[in-house]
Amino acid sequence: MSKKSKNPTSNDVARLAGVSQATVSRVLSGKGYTKEETKQKVMDAIEQLNYRPNAYARTLNNSRANLIGILLPSANYPIYLELLNHLVQACKHKGYSALLIPGELNEEENYSITNLLQYKVDGIITASAHHKTNLYYECNLLGLPVVQVMRVDVDSDCSYAASDNFGAGELAASEMLKRNGQDFLYITGHLPSKTNDDRFNGFATEVENELGHRPESLVTHFDYEACKSLIRKRVKQKGVPDSVLCATDVIAYAFMDVVRFEFGYRVPEDIQVIGYDDLEQSSWSGYKLTSFRQNIKRLSNEAVALLEQQINGQTDRVFNINVSAKLIERETLREAT
């Protein structure tokens, strides 16, 4: 194989696409207008040649910025504020500054690589599992390292540091089974992710091993009020199970408020409940919720360490790090039999 074929240049891309090198540069940077048809030709040529414009990315950045971009799905959710604080400290420890980049997406918006490159970051850490664009693909093209933390996109192919969600699901089911759980339900939000899939699969596997059938899964919302309406509908149609694992504490609060105050069920006598995230409200007297606490400090340190290795060119391998979450038992589980 020729040296040229091993190291294709932007001129090779331009030649194959039938466009100028300047057009290739516009497509890669996202600056200036380019027809969609032309852009597609360039992207097809890039993929065919396996072009990786690392030199171009370095040119855009001029030099090492010692700056890490952090993409969070929502800074309003308490656990993400805690995550942000730990990520900032982990970056500082490694000699980097951290920059919070707005990462909210709705069904109409795409978060483009152009928005990221304007900050001239050396790498990106993202806790959002719902990028609706080819973010990871575009970053890969430009040699910009990406590491996921805490939440994992099912379609991405990059390193991550996340909690052992499968193990947490298994443990939740095991604890409920010890307490004579017979009818199991998993309640989650409306956005799919590997994180959520693993948690449910661990839960379902343990239940199936003991009872011979998989539990039901109810898809609601991550928002408290929106979640309540779907839970209310489910209870009216099917009644309630006796053992419920919720994907977040907020979903658990919604479930408990609906079944206790609208339908008169008792927790944990009638229904035992486990949440996930161990938010501050979970210890309040109105909930006293049993919940999983993630080791956010360690996850942050692992994510930054993974990203630093990629920034320094020490590895191009994909690493998956899973850290156990701790079950904090309060008063929403029955006594073990």
Side-chain angles (χ1 to χ4, degrees):
M1 185 177 289
S2 68
K3 183 177 180 180
K4 181 177 179 180
S5 64
K6 290 181 180 179
N7 300 286
T9 66
S10 60
N11 286 327
D12 296 325
V13 173
R15 189 176 302 110
L16 181 59
V19 299
S20 66
Q21 197 275 339
T23 298
V24 173
S25 295
R26 283 201 306 274
V27 171
L28 288 171
S29 67
K31 297 178 181 178
Y33 173 74
T34 306
K35 292 181 179 179
E36 285 300 319
E37 181 182 358
T38 301
K39 182 178 179 180
Q40 189 59 52
K41 288 181 180 179
V42 172
M43 298 306 292
D44 288 344
I46 286 173
E47 185 170 1
Q48 185 174 336
L49 292 171
N50 196 30
Y51 174 56
R52 296 292 181 268
N54 296 323
Y56 183 75
R58 287 194 297 270
T59 299
L60 286 175
N61 285 286
N62 295 321
S63 61
R64 181 70 62 82
N66 291 325
L67 186 64
I68 289 177
I70 299 174
L71 279 170
L72 299 181
S74 174
N76 294 324
Y77 192 60
I79 198 170
Y80 291 118
L81 291 175
E82 183 180 353
L83 175 64
L84 177 61
N85 287 333
H86 282 298
L87 285 173
V88 168
Q89 291 303 314
C91 289
K92 183 178 179 181
H93 180 72
K94 294 287 188 179
Y96 293 93
S97 296
L99 177 68
L100 178 62
I101 301 173
E104 284 286 4
L105 298 171
N106 59 37
E107 297 201 356
E108 289 76 35
E109 290 178 314
N110 288 325
Y111 201 92
S112 170
I113 191 67
T114 308
N115 302 93
L116 296 174
L117 287 178
Q118 68 177 319
Y119 298 107
K120 297 184 179 181
V121 296
D122 296 318
I124 297 169
I125 292 177
T126 174
S128 177
H130 309 296
H131 298 300
K132 296 182 183 297
T133 67
N134 55 352
L135 171 68
Y136 305 108
Y137 174 71
E138 291 183 278
C139 288
N140 187 38
L141 283 176
L142 292 174
L144 190 63
V146 181
V147 170
Q148 298 175 96
V149 61
M150 201 154 63
R151 296 175 72 184
V152 182
D153 192 317
V154 294
D155 296 321
S156 68
D157 185 24
C158 61
S159 296
Y160 68 75
S163 293
D164 179 8
N165 290 288
F166 188 93
E170 279 187 315
L171 180 57
S174 175
E175 291 298 322
M176 290 175 169
L177 286 163
K178 290 178 185 177
R179 293 159 171 81
N180 200 33
Q182 296 295 318
D183 186 7
F184 287 74
L185 174 67
Y186 179 74
I187 307 179
T188 184
H190 61 294
L191 297 173
S193 68
K194 182 180 184 302
T195 305
N196 185 69
D197 291 347
D198 287 351
R199 204 172 298 164
F200 172 69
N201 286 331
F203 186 65
T205 297
E206 185 69 13
V207 171
E208 187 173 27
N209 286 343
E210 292 297 321
L211 302 180
H213 60 83
R214 291 172 72 83
E216 180 186 350
S217 177
L218 175 64
V219 178
T220 60
H221 290 272
F222 290 106
D223 175 77
Y224 173 82
E225 288 297 337
C227 182
K228 283 174 67 176
S229 64
L230 291 172
I231 291 170
R232 186 179 300 116
K233 180 180 179 181
R234 197 274 183 193
V235 173
K236 288 179 178 179
Q237 291 178 343
K238 299 183 179 181
V240 294
D242 63 33
S243 302
V244 178
L245 172 63
C246 298
T248 70
D249 283 1
V250 171
I251 293 175
Y253 305 153
F255 177 79
M256 291 173 65
D257 289 347
V258 168
V259 299
R260 291 184 302 176
F261 304 131
E262 297 183 27
F263 293 91
Y265 289 99
R266 300 169 300 166
V267 176
E269 293 85 353
D270 301 320
I271 312 165
Q272 49 188 347
V273 183
I274 296 179
Y276 201 98
D277 285 338
D278 193 36
L279 301 182
E280 179 184 357
Q281 296 94 317
S282 295
S283 65
W284 293 0
S285 59
Y287 293 111
K288 294 184 179 179
L289 175 67
T290 296
S291 183
F292 283 95
R293 179 182 299 164
Q294 301 189 69
N295 190 337
I296 297 178
K297 181 177 181 180
R298 181 178 169 189
L299 291 174
S300 299
N301 290 338
E302 296 283 7
V304 172
L306 286 172
L307 189 64
E308 182 187 39
Q309 291 178 6
Q310 294 183 37
I311 291 172
N312 293 334
Q314 295 172 300
T315 182
D316 57 1
R317 292 177 56 196
V318 172
F319 290 93
N320 298 333
I321 296 176
N322 293 288
V323 178
S324 295
K326 183 178 181 180
L327 184 65
I328 307 299
E329 187 172 341
R330 298 192 178 91
E331 297 181 14
T332 58
L333 287 179
R334 296 189 286 264
E335 291 293 325
T337 57

